[in-house]
Amino acid sequence: MKTTSHSGQRSALPSTAARMGVFTLAMINVSAIVSLRGMSAESTYGLSSAFYYIFAALFFLIPVSLVAAELTTGWPQKGGVYRWVGEAFGKKWGFLAIWLQWIESTIWFPTVLTFAAVSIAFMGPDQAWDQALASNKWYILLIVLCVYWGATLLNLRGMQTSATVTKWGTIIGTVIPAALLILLGLIYYALGNPVLLNTNPNSFFPDLSNFNNIVLAASIFLFYAGMEMSAVHVKDVKNPSKDYPLAIFISAIMTVGIFVLGTLAISLIIPKSQVNLVQSLLVTYDTYMNFFGLGWLNWLLAFALALGVLAQVTAWVGGPSKGLYQVGVTGLLPPIMQARNKNKVQIGILIIQGIIVTLLSIMFVIMPSVQAAYQIISQLTIILYLIMYMMMFAAAIYLRYREPNTPRGFRIPGGKYFGMWLIGGLGFLASLLAFIVSFIPPGQIDIGSKTSYVLLLIGGTFLFAGIPFVIQLFANPSWKRPLPENEEFEPFGWEKPASVNKS
């Protein structure tokens, strides 16, 4: 499955040995989440962006990690979130959860690929020309479609090809540029240069009297999305009950540090009124590199960032679609979505996924600006993913009551129910808050008609969340595909005869 990056960075988790140390697991978590493209949006909040990052880590990142760890070790069978939600609430809701995990990544592609297009544009020799090209809707559409279908072709060649691109692309296009951005920002500030950031400690706390100010901040939750994927490695650590929470703590500190320092590095030199969700990160790099006499490296850095996006997309094109395929062959998806090629890649789902991405990308030539389309698709991605997370938190709490005796390699501390209610409850409420504010039009961005903006989000949510129910309405037994015994989907616990709880 893909790992995030929906988003945060979305990249494939590396394979691991039978046993791993705390630091190794922490590094896997960091590599799965950290991405640079979304920091421009949060830089509009200045120093208070640090507040939002820390808030989201405490109430979302850590709860997701701990809850997913318990669910993974309690129900390690194939299926992921479909298994967890299905064990608690039945197949219908489990299918909705896995569908949302797939469709939100599909909707996410145009936004992250827009960043790739902008990165390529900034490989030019003149910043003014680069910015003009990056604002051209037809250019954005062309690059988005070329890179996406290129990543799809890479995935159709099989796992080895896509894994190689993901590995090196992540190192070159995310890790190195992130370190460079933070280093340049720190040196620039330490040298006493004039900065645009209000460094008064009182500005750390946001002004919540204006509700519009927290709309873009809700996107921080998506920065941290994907930590649940690393829970598959809980069984590989030496002491799950001790080492896994420690690894989560270390990776959370590192992730928050990268996001906070990287965002503040942008805020130091980009005026709040001139922040562009798509271009500001590249402008920041350009400005810093030229200031330190390294402007001749700008094209190389832009190329690296574009390569990093290609790595993320390559991993995510094949990841969630594979999880959906594993569930779909039980009879939940029509035969056309169960097709595989000679490399055993789910070609049916990938083609349909590509058609959806293509149609969504056309929004970039319909909306009043690239920024407006970028914002609407980003928010729709967040909304759908947060629905899945609320289902996951609710399932974890419910399974403590429904199957209290199911062995769990890792169990959230705090007694039989209190710890789960505290962690799972905080995660659910934080996700619900972010879900609600995601529908509010942001005051900082020109999105055209605010009414149209809200209606598009509501309509998109009902459309994409309603599709799995329509599919199940028309499902029939002939959709179930015969599989080898080692590929069969293990029944849910409540489907097994004479078995209520495992003991």
Side-chain angles (χ1 to χ4, degrees):
M1 296 186 71
K2 75 175 180 175
T3 60
T4 31
S5 137
H6 183 115
S7 226
Q9 174 177 345
R10 304 175 180 240
S11 61
L13 289 177
S15 58
T16 55
R19 287 289 180 267
M20 66 172 68
V22 171
F23 188 74
T24 299
L25 182 56
M27 291 303 97
I28 289 176
N29 292 337
V30 172
S31 68
I33 295 177
V34 175
S35 177
L36 310 180
R37 69 179 183 89
M39 294 190 299
S40 296
E42 307 312 323
S43 69
T44 61
Y45 297 96
L47 191 61
S48 65
S49 64
F51 171 89
Y52 290 115
Y53 281 121
I54 295 171
F55 173 86
L58 292 175
F59 293 96
F60 183 75
L61 174 61
I62 293 176
V64 164
S65 306
L66 297 180
V67 166
E70 175 165 325
L71 291 172
T72 298
T73 57
W75 295 268
Q77 304 91 339
K78 184 189 300 182
V81 68
Y82 172 73
R83 170 75 59 181
W84 307 337
V85 176
E87 285 284 0
F89 307 122
K91 291 182 179 180
K92 179 187 296 185
W93 299 105
F95 184 50
L96 173 61
I98 192 75
W99 173 271
L100 290 173
Q101 195 175 56
W102 171 69
I103 198 65
E104 69 81 20
S105 67
T106 301
I107 298 171
W108 165 82
F109 286 124
T111 63
V112 70
L113 286 170
T114 297
F115 181 72
V118 172
S119 297
I120 294 172
F122 273 77
M123 291 174 63
D126 179 73
Q127 187 181 107
W129 186 90
D130 296 344
Q131 287 180 275
L133 179 61
S135 298
N136 186 285
K137 301 173 185 179
W138 294 104
Y139 163 78
I140 293 293
L141 179 63
L142 176 64
I143 298 299
V144 164
L145 295 181
C146 286
V147 175
Y148 174 80
W149 284 104
T152 299
L153 292 176
L154 285 173
N155 271 275
L156 291 175
R157 292 173 61 101
M159 178 68 70
Q160 186 172 0
T161 300
S162 60
T164 300
V165 173
T166 297
K167 174 184 175 182
W168 290 106
T170 299
I171 294 173
I172 296 172
T174 298
V175 176
I176 294 176
L180 181 62
L181 175 64
I182 294 172
L183 180 63
L184 292 176
L186 289 174
I187 294 175
Y188 181 88
Y189 183 75
L191 291 176
N193 292 295
V195 298
L196 301 176
L197 175 68
N198 180 4
T199 57
N200 188 319
N202 293 330
S203 64
F204 172 79
F205 296 98
D207 176 16
L208 298 180
S209 61
N210 184 354
F211 205 54
N212 284 333
N213 285 342
I214 66 174
V215 175
L216 285 180
S219 63
I220 293 183
F221 281 73
L222 191 63
F223 285 24
Y224 294 138
M227 183 70 91
E228 77 276 6
M229 305 300 181
S230 70
V232 298
H233 298 297
V234 171
K235 299 185 292 293
D236 299 326
V237 297
K238 299 172 184 176
N239 185 346
S241 61
K242 177 183 177 182
D243 292 352
Y244 187 82
L246 181 57
I248 291 299
F249 178 76
I250 294 173
S251 58
I253 292 294
M254 293 187 65
T255 300
V256 173
I258 291 173
F259 282 143
V260 168
L261 294 177
T263 300
L264 294 182
I266 297 174
S267 301
L268 289 175
I269 58 174
I270 301 294
K272 180 179 178 180
S273 60
Q274 297 179 22
V275 168
N276 182 295
L277 301 187
V278 185
Q279 299 181 17
S280 288
L281 178 64
L282 278 300
V283 174
T284 299
Y285 274 116
D286 260 9
T287 304
Y288 277 133
M289 298 292 271
N290 290 329
F291 178 84
F292 288 105
L294 301 173
W296 55 277
L297 286 175
N298 282 337
W299 71 271
L300 185 60
L301 182 61
F303 172 77
L305 290 169
L307 184 61
V309 173
L310 176 62
Q312 291 179 307
V313 173
T314 299
W316 275 81
V317 163
S321 59
K322 183 176 181 179
L324 184 64
Y325 168 83
Q326 292 175 341
V327 171
V329 294
T330 64
L332 291 173
L333 289 178
I336 190 174
M337 297 187 72
Q338 298 183 33
R340 287 200 295 183
N341 66 8
K342 63 180 180 180
N343 297 320
K344 295 187 176 182
V345 177
Q346 55 283 3
I347 186 171
I349 295 179
L350 289 184
I351 295 300
I352 293 174
Q353 179 174 284
I355 293 173
I356 296 173
V357 171
T358 301
L359 293 175
L360 287 173
S361 299
I362 295 174
M363 284 187 65
F364 288 109
V365 298
I366 296 177
M367 296 300 295
S369 69
V370 171
Q371 270 205 108
Y374 185 97
Q375 177 65 16
I376 286 178
I377 295 178
S378 294
Q379 290 304 107
L380 185 56
T381 300
I382 295 167
I383 289 166
L384 295 174
Y385 213 170
L386 287 171
I387 294 173
M388 188 220 76
Y389 275 118
M390 286 188 283
M391 296 175 71
M392 187 186 81
F393 286 123
I397 294 172
Y398 184 67
L399 287 172
R400 275 290 185 101
Y401 291 88
R402 180 171 183 167
E403 299 189 30
N405 297 322
T406 295
R408 296 150 164 87
F410 170 82
R411 183 182 289 263
I412 293 176
K416 195 171 184 178
Y417 302 118
F418 176 76
M420 175 57 76
W421 270 107
L422 177 63
I423 300 299
L426 285 176
F428 182 90
L429 292 176
S431 299
L432 179 61
L433 173 63
F435 174 81
I436 293 172
V437 302
S438 293
F439 287 95
I440 302 172
Q444 301 92 332
I445 302 172
D446 178 18
I447 55 170
S449 168
K450 292 186 177 182
T451 301
S452 297
Y453 175 87
V454 174
L455 289 177
L456 279 171
L457 288 181
I458 294 174
T461 301
F462 276 100
L463 172 64
F464 290 114
I467 290 175
F469 295 103
V470 175
I471 292 176
Q472 292 179 81
L473 186 64
F474 291 96
N476 63 71
S478 65
W479 288 7
K480 183 169 174 32
R481 176 176 172 177
L483 294 171
E485 186 176 344
N486 63 334
E487 293 187 30
E488 282 286 349
F489 192 89
E490 185 174 333
F492 289 103
W494 47 264
E495 291 182 304
K496 298 176 182 178
S499 175
V500 178
N501 286 320
K502 292 175 282 185
S503 59

